[in-house]
Amino acid sequence: MPSNKLARTNDDIQFVLSKLLPQVKDPRVQQGMISVTRVETTGDLRYAKVWLSVLGMRDEKEFKKGLKSAAGWLRRELGNAMSLRYTPELVFEIDHSIEYGAHINDVLNSLDIKHDEDKMSEE
């Protein structure tokens, strides 16, 4: 469990990156709607693992390559926006939980289950 200061720093990094990612010019990164779902920073603020969810991603491998090439620019802009002793090195991970949740929702909606309303009308 991160300390309050580290949790606030994680939230601030998440907010700043969510504003910066749409400004990345690399077409490999602009594949869909990008959401920063979570940020975890090490205690010494040297590294930050950033989880991204992308709705409408076409090619995950190219997306990661684009993020890696834009990481230096994102880190510099993050350093300009925040006053930290160290600007963390950004490590990006893809978060598939939103896609998985949408899939589970589709599966549940496709089941043929009678709802409570149907039971009430039968009585």
Side-chain angles (χ1 to χ4, degrees):
M1 181 84 180
S3 67
N4 283 341
K5 182 177 182 181
L6 192 56
R8 283 193 319 262
T9 303
N10 289 340
D11 290 343
D12 291 344
I13 291 172
Q14 181 177 353
F15 177 76
V16 171
L17 285 178
S18 68
K19 299 293 183 197
L20 289 175
L21 281 168
Q23 298 175 17
V24 174
K25 303 255 190 295
D26 194 333
R28 296 176 292 184
V29 175
Q30 301 305 327
Q31 290 190 22
M33 190 175 79
I34 303 170
S35 300
V36 181
T37 57
R38 187 172 72 198
V39 174
E40 284 184 9
T41 308
T42 57
D44 61 356
L45 296 177
R46 298 289 185 170
Y47 297 93
K49 190 176 275 193
V50 180
W51 276 271
L52 301 173
S53 177
V54 183
L55 190 62
M57 181 170 24
R58 294 181 296 276
D59 187 3
E60 184 174 332
K61 190 180 240 183
E62 287 298 313
F63 181 73
K64 283 186 171 184
K65 284 181 184 178
L67 282 175
K68 192 171 184 177
S69 72
W73 179 81
L74 288 167
R75 184 178 182 192
R76 187 187 75 220
E77 294 298 316
L78 181 67
N80 290 338
M82 298 179 67
S83 58
L84 298 172
R85 178 174 288 171
Y86 304 109
T87 303
E89 183 176 328
L90 303 173
V91 179
F92 296 100
E93 295 291 331
I94 305 299
D95 184 2
H96 295 285
S97 62
I98 294 176
E99 293 172 8
Y100 182 71
H103 170 70
I104 294 297
N105 192 30
D106 290 342
V107 169
L108 290 174
N109 287 335
S110 69
L111 296 175
D112 187 25
I113 299 175
K114 290 190 175 194
H115 297 287
D116 290 338
E117 298 168 358
D118 295 337
K119 290 179 185 177
M120 293 292 235
S121 63
E122 290 176 357
E123 294 174 357

